[in-house]
Amino acid sequence: MDVFEKREVWKQDPSSPYYDYSLLMRLIKDLKSCRESQDMKGLMKLLKIILSKSNISGIDNEELYSQTYWGTKYLVHDFVQQVLESLIIVRDSSAIDTQSKLDFFRKVKRMYGRTALLLSGGASFGYYHLGVIKTLFEAKLLPKIISGTSAGAMIASLIW
């Protein structure tokens, strides 16, 4: 539908009032530069800065995700991909000792937070919640934090 309705053009254009695209471009450039020069300390420092902000550059703005049927700006996707690739490089680097890697990933995990599942209220939603939880459990993606209201709270309490 995005292609048919010409929403791909919107995705390709990085500019938008909904987020700071120039900051995102600079961060991508800096991540690539650190990786190319094999500056592991600089890369780790930059990743700590990026991952300490939950909404860096405004990429969590819901307007970015309501303009299309699938995805958002390609720049946002590229940024997330660059961060993931950088984390993998840090993980696999032989230039960083194991203890430094452990310290780095523990700190980043603590700064970034945890995933939680929040279940809504409503009696009939309880059945849907069971299906969602079953699917997440089977895929080994069930988060450790589960909460809810009304029927969602009852289902959440049954899980643990």
Side-chain angles (χ1 to χ4, degrees), residues 8-153:
E8 287 292 317
V9 174
W10 181 85
K11 289 181 183 180
Q12 293 170 357
D13 179 13
S15 65
S16 173
Y18 305 128
Y19 74 119
D20 186 353
Y21 59 91
S22 60
L23 173 61
L24 224 52
M25 285 194 229
R26 279 195 314 271
L27 290 171
I28 290 170
K29 182 177 146 258
D30 291 346
L31 285 169
K32 287 180 180 179
S33 174
C34 284
R35 289 198 323 251
E36 288 169 3
S37 65
Q38 296 182 349
D39 178 10
M40 290 299 126
K41 287 187 180 186
L43 184 62
M44 290 168 68
K45 182 178 179 183
L46 184 57
L47 285 168
K48 283 180 187 177
I49 292 167
I50 290 170
L51 296 173
S52 69
K53 312 274 190 240
S54 63
N55 187 20
I56 194 156
S57 184
I59 63 172
D60 288 347
N61 187 334
E62 71 180 59
E63 291 296 327
L64 283 172
Y65 302 90
S66 64
Q67 305 296 316
T68 62
Y69 291 101
W70 173 256
T72 187
K73 297 282 192 178
Y74 289 136
L75 183 64
V76 173
H77 290 284
D78 187 32
F79 172 70
V80 171
Q81 189 62 39
Q82 294 298 324
V83 169
L84 289 172
E85 288 175 17
S86 297
L87 287 168
I88 289 168
I89 286 172
V90 168
R91 180 196 70 192
D92 296 340
S93 174
S94 59
I96 307 166
D97 65 280
T98 305
Q99 188 60 47
S100 296
K101 287 181 191 180
L102 284 171
D103 293 343
F104 169 76
F105 282 106
R106 281 187 185 124
K107 186 176 272 188
V108 167
K109 178 183 174 185
R110 194 170 41 251
M111 288 187 303
Y112 196 67
R114 288 188 163 178
T115 302
L117 177 62
L118 306 174
L119 306 172
S120 64
S124 62
F125 279 119
Y127 297 111
Y128 294 114
H129 295 327
L130 288 172
V132 168
I133 289 171
K134 179 179 183 260
T135 303
L136 289 171
F137 178 77
E138 288 171 352
K140 297 182 180 166
L141 295 174
L142 191 64
K144 292 182 178 177
I145 301 169
I146 302 174
S147 182
T149 60
S150 190

